[in-house]
Amino acid sequence: MTDPATVLHRSLPENVYLLLRRRILNNDFAAGQRLIEMNLAEELGVSRSTVREALRQLSVDGLVDISPRRHSVVTRMAYEEIRDACYARFVLEAGAARSVGERRTMLGQMEAVLDRMRAAAEDGDVASMVDLDTEFHGCIIDASGRHRLGSLWRMLDAQMGALMRSSIDRQHIDLGEAVRRHQLVIDVFGRGDIDQIVATLEEHYLGTVDDMAQAGVLGD
């Protein structure tokens, strides 16, 4: 649940951005749907410039495509974009995993996030799942103590919403399956050596994407 104090300190464009992001991630706005500034401004009771600023940020996130004629369309990431983003995140996270020492505290944090993931999955709340996915994997990054690596890893955060929404659409992944995959990561950190951990992280990020590509599920 969002802290009301946090909401009060957000700017209006940021609140509009987060609202539209949630609606896109939860498929209230489907792929290919045109987003019209004037209509959104009227619906939300804000100016067109506020909506325009929010749409620009959604474009940076890879959730919206803004055409030269200045209309916006909800978009999905292509296979190569999905794989590149997953590979970059895997490489950084595997490096972080090699620097994690004592794992007990980290595992407790990951289990707590996973409990919230289960609730979000039951509600079909993709937007919350995206944020919790970042929080879950951030436990590994933070436990490594590699602050510069963490900064690089978090530069990819903005794309994770587009990546997860695109993966769900293209691979037809059930949110319950996403929870199971995160449980596997916890399990291997609890009992595995570093080579097993890295192999599990690689499968977590890249295995299903490659399987679907080979099966012809993912197109451009």
Side-chain angles (χ1 to χ4, degrees):
M1 181 179 295
T2 303
D3 184 348
T6 302
V7 174
L8 288 173
H9 286 88
R10 289 176 181 151
S11 66
L12 182 58
E14 184 178 5
N15 277 323
V16 171
Y17 155 71
L18 290 172
L19 175 61
L20 295 178
R21 175 180 179 269
R22 172 169 286 276
R23 291 174 72 175
I24 291 171
L25 292 178
N26 285 338
N27 221 30
D28 296 334
F29 295 140
Q33 184 169 342
R34 185 169 173 174
L35 302 180
I36 301 172
E37 285 180 12
M38 181 175 66
N39 293 353
L40 290 172
E42 289 179 358
E43 177 188 346
L44 300 175
V46 299
S47 68
R48 290 183 65 176
S49 62
T50 296
V51 172
R52 190 175 304 126
E53 186 173 340
L55 291 173
R56 285 196 194 104
Q57 183 57 53
L58 291 167
S59 176
V60 172
D61 292 356
L63 291 168
V64 164
D65 180 47
I66 301 176
S67 80
R69 295 184 179 180
R70 305 201 59 77
H71 67 264
S72 303
V73 176
V74 177
T75 190
R76 296 289 184 256
M77 295 176 78
Y79 163 68
E80 287 298 337
E81 294 174 308
I82 293 173
R83 198 180 194 289
D84 283 352
C86 284
Y87 184 75
R89 193 153 156 159
F90 156 67
V91 168
L92 293 170
E93 200 164 317
R98 293 183 182 279
S99 298
V100 174
E102 194 277 317
R103 300 176 189 170
R104 188 178 309 169
T105 299
M106 179 192 74
L107 286 169
Q109 294 169 340
M110 292 164 77
E111 289 280 11
V113 176
L114 190 65
D115 286 341
R116 290 154 62 201
M117 273 189 169
R118 290 191 182 96
E122 289 176 4
D123 291 340
D125 188 350
V126 176
S128 291
M129 284 289 288
V130 169
D131 294 336
L132 289 167
D133 175 86
T134 298
E135 188 175 342
F136 179 94
H137 290 280
C139 295
I140 302 169
I141 300 298
D142 293 341
S144 75
R146 302 285 186 180
H147 301 299
R148 183 164 294 185
L149 185 152
S151 295
L152 291 170
W153 185 83
R154 286 189 165 88
M155 287 173 65
L156 301 171
D157 283 359
Q159 286 191 319
M160 294 315 297
L163 189 152
M164 185 173 284
R165 181 70 259 176
S166 298
S167 296
I168 289 169
D169 285 2
R170 292 173 179 274
Q171 301 175 32
H172 309 293
I173 295 174
D174 179 80
L175 292 183
E177 172 64 12
V179 171
R180 187 191 71 81
R181 293 179 189 180
H182 285 82
Q183 181 66 62
L184 291 175
V185 173
I186 291 177
D187 291 345
V188 76
F189 266 103
R191 58 174 166 70
D193 61 25
I194 189 58
D195 289 338
Q196 291 173 313
I197 289 168
V198 169
T200 298
L201 288 174
E202 183 173 14
E203 177 65 22
H204 181 84
Y205 279 116
L206 299 169
T208 304
V209 177
D210 287 341
D211 289 345
M212 292 296 154
Q214 291 169 9
V217 173
L218 292 177
D220 293 333

